[in-house]
Amino acid sequence: MSERIEAGVSYIGLSVVRPQTARLLAGRGVYTDDVKLPRMTHVAFVRSPHAHARIARIETDAARALAGVVAVVTGPELARVCSGWVGTLAHFAGMKSATQHALALDRATWQGEPVAAVVAESRAIAEDGAARVAVAWEPLPAVTDPETALDPGTPVIHPELGDNLAFALELNAGNVEEAFKNADAVVAETFTMGRHTGVTLEPRVILADFDPSERRLTVHHSFQAPNMMQDILARHLGLEEQNVRVICKDVGGSFGIKVHVYPDEMATCALAVLLGRPVKFLADRHESFLSDIHARDHRVRAEVAVRRDGTILGMKLDDLTGIGPYSVYPRTSAVEGNQTVRLTPGCYRFRDYAARLRVVLQNKTPMCQYRAVGHPIAFAVMEGMVDHVARALELDPVEVRRRNFITGDMYPYTAPTGYFFERLSHEECLDKLLEMSEYRKLGAERDALRRRGVYRGLGLCAFIELTTPGPAFYGVGGARISSQDGVTLRLEPSGTVTCLTGVTEQGQGTDAMLAQVVATAVGVRLEDVRVLTGDTLVSPYGGGTWASRGAGIGGEAALQSGKALKQNVLRVAAAVLGGEPEDLDVRLGRVVDALTGEVKLDLAELGRVAYFRPDTLPKDFQSELTVTRHYVPRHQGFAFTNGVQLSHVEVDVETGGVRLLGHWAVEDCGRIINPRLVDEQIRGAIVQGLGAALLEHCVYDGAGQLLTASLMDYLVPMAAEMPDIVVGHVETPTAYAEGGFKGAGEAGTAGAPGAVLNAVNDALAPLGARVSAQPITPGVVLRALGRL
């Protein structure tokens, strides 16, 4: 029998005592003089020193005896509070991963996995307590090489899964074998991309506060998607969703690494529930290298079939990637490989394409999405192959690209991998880049210097970037990650506007961008808009910030909300003035005559009347000065942006060192809201891509020990090493949204590694050498030259 709810249910007139009221009546509220609020505690984690080991026993007595230690908790104890999770998505057919827990139960599967937690009155005491926890380990064989992860003789990390294959995918479009059969030449190369990580300015940090009397959990989190985390915490801690509040204020950098579920952060929240006290965790820099997600560990074999004139007929691709012992929850660790094989054909119009992807488990730090997921790999491979074709056939790399671009008259266009391109602008971007950089002049200078033994090179990289993902990205696979976002606008009595949104701020300028859209749509001064982001208690439900969705989704929601608030303001103004809304407008915070611009009413006066003297308005008129509008993308899959980058380098053939001389980028992110913010987003992303191309590498030994676990060994790009970065734009607004906005946060990272790779190979070409491994360290260059 189906459930029925009778009409007319009312709570009015009932003596309902809610938990908060009961708490106050019991003398536990803030209004009593003798209340003692729980003191904040800090947690430190005991982490595995082994890549793979069984936990024989954990001795905690010495830690518990330390003054200031509040609790010492192991995996089985915490599992009673926090349930485990599995990082798979239904639309990745056949994907599998083992259940992961906040603290390992009986076995550690990577160096750095947390196995016990020490909660104390200070971080220092917690760390001292963690040092006193004695773990008896039984080391197990570690799986570290993706190439052998699937061999019959390799240990299976999770026996219940049957093997170490987490996900496999094959794509077949057109007739690849026929394309290769008809080719004048076949060019092949194997590329290796080094594993690296985010190194955010602000490390991961979380503070969880649980109120047992109301079973309410409040979490302050350096994170990107507060509503996603609210849902996950509620489900895995057994709480009501409305009793979980997640607050993500200004975050000191994230780059995608702060949009995943981490066991130590789940443990922190579970400990707060277990102890009924606030618990704080901060991942120090050493912990970050072992526990923050890694990315980009790929080995890609590519073959391209071409005609003598450089026309690409078809392509074969084989991508092998190792992701650590678990697929990361809830977005999974298959997305990077999936996007790599689907993005690789990029902006080129060949239709015959075959790709194989294998995602394998290994005993290293888990890998997952990081800025420009899959893009730098895809375009380093594709653009590396384009330059390889040009060199093999003695053709101009610029002309090979022109010959193979999807041309303007071919849009809208569906790629052989299924991606839908509304309109890309590679032809225009390339023309502008060549002019902006004085490409031909740089080429002539390069050729002249080669005769003097100075080896400089120029490298192009054309790219696309997927932004503003729609519902088919995660929701279709069962992940409770919102593809829509909302903006609430409230006209204050002072005439200013408050903007509430679930789109979060990680330093990319979300607040400024939204304020500009709101100020423009409503008709107020920019300084009169206050933006509040990332609080699940007050913000409209949304997906947060990832995949360059802030402007494309949050900006469109702000535009629609601003238009609605403006119409409501005009209705109030018409009621006050005795006219028609259509005859009025709002400009710079004042209601004016739409035709003449004559000021009729300040918004502060309108607010005063609407809020404090509604009795002076016409009978039955109701002011509505708070509005909410949501927006979900209407496009097919993604709003793709695009561009072209150029890198200019000099290679010291004696030392193998690569010096960056200049970098240019022309990017098309649709309608630009704030040119300075977009330029700096692109520059920052390029710097991150340059770091990946030349410096950053998480290096492991054969036993699964991380050898680059500090900034003494893990190199990041510094200002002194970076070249001037010149940015230009082409604007192709999307027609699927009124604002025409797309995303811009990852394009720089997408194209920079490929541009540097091609530039280095151009510099080495006279010496008959080429590189295909990143980062391009001096050792990589010297080995290519046969000098190491």
Side-chain angles (χ1 to χ4, degrees):
M1 180 177 177
S2 61
E3 182 181 8
R4 297 179 64 231
I5 300 176
E6 299 294 336
V9 175
S10 173
Y11 295 103
I12 297 173
L14 300 180
S15 298
V16 176
V17 179
R18 302 191 66 192
Q20 183 178 13
T21 309
R23 181 166 166 243
L24 293 172
L25 292 173
R28 297 192 63 229
V30 295
Y31 302 112
T32 64
D33 294 330
D34 60 346
V35 66
K36 293 183 178 180
L37 296 176
R39 292 178 60 186
M40 186 171 77
T41 62
H42 299 258
V43 61
F45 292 96
V46 180
R47 298 181 182 273
S48 172
H50 303 282
H52 197 193
R54 186 173 290 108
I55 303 169
R57 65 183 181 279
I58 301 178
E59 297 177 0
T60 63
D61 290 348
R64 295 179 194 275
L66 185 64
V69 168
V70 174
V72 182
V73 181
T74 62
E77 294 167 329
L78 202 62
R80 293 195 286 268
V81 179
C82 180
S83 62
W85 55 87
V86 179
T88 60
L89 289 171
H91 63 305
F92 288 155
M95 186 178 186
K96 58 183 187 284
S97 183
T99 301
Q100 189 175 7
H101 291 272
L103 298 176
L105 300 184
D106 55 8
R107 190 165 51 99
T109 54
W110 84 88
Q111 180 200 11
E113 183 173 10
V115 300
V118 178
V119 182
E121 293 176 355
S122 72
R123 172 67 182 244
I125 296 173
E127 290 181 350
D128 288 346
R132 294 187 177 202
V133 174
V135 183
W137 298 102
E138 296 177 0
L140 298 169
V143 180
T144 58
D145 185 358
E147 296 279 359
T148 60
L150 301 178
D151 289 354
T154 299
V156 176
I157 296 174
H158 302 290
E160 67 272 24
L161 299 182
D163 56 32
N164 292 322
L165 183 65
F167 179 62
L169 173 69
E170 289 195 8
L171 299 175
N172 289 284
N175 191 332
V176 176
E177 295 306 323
E178 188 69 18
F180 274 73
K181 179 181 176 181
N182 294 329
D184 295 323
V186 173
V187 176
E189 186 73 84
T190 298
F191 299 83
T192 58
M193 308 297 171
R195 170 186 280 250
H196 50 277
T197 187
V199 197
T200 56
L201 185 64
E202 174 193 50
R204 290 186 297 110
V205 60
I206 187 168
L207 169 60
D209 183 9
F210 184 66
D211 182 349
S213 66
E214 297 187 11
R215 290 194 59 78
R216 289 188 186 275
L217 178 67
T218 301
V219 178
H220 295 264
H221 200 183
S222 181
F223 201 68
Q224 299 172 233
N227 283 115
M228 184 196 90
M229 202 65 192
Q230 177 193 33
D231 169 75
I232 286 170
L233 289 171
R235 285 190 288 116
H236 291 282
L237 296 177
L239 302 172
E240 295 294 329
E241 186 174 12
Q242 69 269 24
N243 284 348
V244 177
R245 180 185 185 186
V246 179
I247 303 167
C248 302
K249 293 300 183 182
D250 292 350
V251 173
S254 55
F255 314 127
I257 74 164
K258 296 178 181 176
V259 76
H260 310 292
V261 168
Y262 288 91
D264 47 23
E265 294 179 355
M266 292 294 285
T268 301
C269 296
L271 289 165
V273 173
L274 183 68
L275 302 173
R277 294 182 65 172
V279 182
K280 179 181 178 180
F281 168 64
L282 170 69
D284 64 28
R285 191 62 70 186
H286 179 66
E287 282 181 298
S288 293
F289 280 108
L290 292 169
S291 61
D292 291 359
I293 62 103
H294 294 177
R296 316 276 207 253
D297 189 0
H298 288 249
R299 186 236 62 188
V300 183
R301 173 72 177 174
E303 297 178 74
V304 172
V306 294
R307 293 198 184 107
R308 289 187 183 86
D309 64 0
T311 300
I312 299 173
L313 301 177
M315 186 175 191
K316 297 177 183 179
L317 195 79
D318 189 308
D319 183 11
L320 174 67
T321 177
I323 60 167
Y326 297 99
S327 171
V328 177
Y329 183 66
R331 296 168 187 265
T332 86
S333 300
V335 172
E336 182 175 81
N338 179 65
Q339 291 188 180
T340 296
V341 298
R342 292 185 184 277
L343 285 166
T344 295
C347 52
Y348 300 113
R349 60 175 179 260
F350 63 88
R351 305 298 301 173
D352 298 318
Y353 179 66
R356 179 175 72 153
L357 167 67
R358 288 170 295 161
V359 179
V360 300
L361 302 174
Q362 55 184 175
N363 294 116
K364 295 181 182 179
T365 298
M367 288 210 325
C368 203
Q369 287 96 311
Y370 168 59
R371 193 176 197 174
V373 184
H375 294 62
I377 306 153
F379 303 127
V381 170
M382 187 70 249
E383 294 298 294
M385 294 305 291
V386 170
D387 268 28
H388 201 348
V389 165
R391 191 158 292 115
L393 299 177
E394 298 182 338
L395 299 172
D396 183 340
V398 171
E399 297 311 314
V400 173
R401 286 173 172 82
R402 289 194 200 279
R403 183 174 296 278
N404 289 284
F405 275 157
I406 304 165
T407 55
D409 60 347
M410 298 174 70
Y411 293 103
Y413 182 89
T414 300
T417 59
Y419 283 150
F420 173 79
F421 304 146
E422 177 190 2
R423 175 69 168 90
L424 303 178
S425 56
H426 286 96
E427 295 169 295
E428 298 93 326
C429 288
L430 180 59
D431 289 343
K432 188 165 186 175
L433 180 84
L434 297 177
E435 178 184 359
M436 192 170 71
S437 65
E438 297 185 297
Y439 178 82
R440 298 302 176 189
K441 181 179 178 182
L442 289 174
E445 179 185 70
R446 170 202 61 196
D447 296 343
L449 287 170
R450 282 177 178 173
R451 292 189 286 272
R452 294 161 45 190
V454 176
Y455 295 96
R456 292 186 176 180
L458 296 169
L460 290 164
C461 183
F463 62 89
I464 57 177
E465 179 198 357
L466 56 83
T467 76
T468 60
F473 199 48
Y474 285 120
V476 71
R480 296 170 65 85
I481 301 171
S482 179
S483 60
Q484 59 89 56
D485 241 291
V487 168
T488 295
L489 298 181
R490 182 174 68 239
L491 183 73
E492 306 290 356
S494 62
T496 59
V497 176
T498 298
C499 171
L500 302 167
T501 179
V503 178
T504 53
E505 173 69 84
Q506 283 90 47
Q508 69 274 64
T510 295
D511 289 7
M513 176 272 294
L514 290 172
Q516 287 178 258
V517 174
V518 169
T520 302
V522 178
V524 297
R525 299 181 304 169
L526 183 61
E527 56 266 32
D528 288 338
V529 179
R530 183 188 183 196
V531 179
L532 302 174
T533 65
D535 185 340
T536 60
L537 185 65
V538 296
S539 303
Y541 201 98
T545 297
W546 45 274
S548 299
R549 68 189 299 278
I553 299 178
E556 184 67 21
L559 175 62
Q560 299 306 323
S561 193
K563 290 172 60 181
L565 178 59
K566 181 176 183 177
Q567 291 305 310
N568 289 1
V569 165
L570 293 177
R571 291 188 188 98
V572 177
V576 172
L577 299 170
E580 295 296 328
E582 295 77 11
D583 297 329
L584 303 171
D585 195 8
V586 182
R587 301 173 188 169
L588 296 177
R590 295 178 174 184
V591 178
V592 302
D593 184 286
L595 291 177
T596 67
E598 178 187 355
V599 175
K600 297 291 187 179
L601 189 67
D602 284 342
L603 288 187
E605 176 62 14
L606 183 145
R608 183 191 71 82
V609 172
Y611 286 112
F612 309 127
R613 292 302 309 276
D615 57 301
T616 63
L617 297 174
K619 185 179 180 181
D620 297 330
F621 180 83
Q622 177 61 55
S623 302
E624 295 286 354
L625 298 179
T626 299
V627 301
T628 300
R629 293 293 183 271
H630 289 81
Y631 176 73
V632 63
R634 311 297 182 195
H635 49 248
Q636 298 181 39
F638 307 93
F640 279 93
T641 68
N642 67 270
V644 184
Q645 294 185 33
L646 171 69
S647 187
H648 186 205
V649 306
E650 182 176 310
V651 178
D652 186 326
V653 297
E654 299 300 323
T655 67
V658 177
R659 184 160 66 99
L660 298 164
L661 303 176
H663 200 96
W664 294 262
V666 175
E667 199 258 3
D668 184 345
C669 64
R671 184 182 178 191
I672 295 175
I673 299 170
N674 185 312
R676 177 173 292 182
L677 285 177
V678 170
D679 283 359
E680 297 315 313
Q681 274 285 289
I682 292 171
R683 286 193 176 95
I686 286 172
V687 168
Q688 220 156 2
L690 296 176
L694 297 174
L695 302 168
E696 300 185 50
H697 197 186
C698 295
V699 180
Y700 284 83
D701 67 13
Q705 294 291 307
L706 182 63
L707 304 180
T708 52
S710 77
L711 289 172
M712 293 290 289
D713 303 300
Y714 185 94
L715 304 181
V716 295
M718 306 291 282
E721 298 146 3
M722 292 299 100
D724 287 340
I725 300 172
V726 182
V727 179
H729 299 282
V730 171
E731 291 190 53
T732 309
T734 176
Y736 286 95
E738 184 177 343
F741 314 135
K742 302 179 187 178
E746 298 166 280
T749 306
V756 172
L757 177 71
N758 283 339
V760 171
N761 280 329
D762 184 43
L764 296 176
L767 303 173
R770 59 181 290 106
V771 300
S772 59
Q774 293 188 338
I776 307 171
T777 62
V780 169
V781 173
L782 291 176
R783 277 190 290 273
L785 290 168
R787 300 182 181 182
L788 192 65

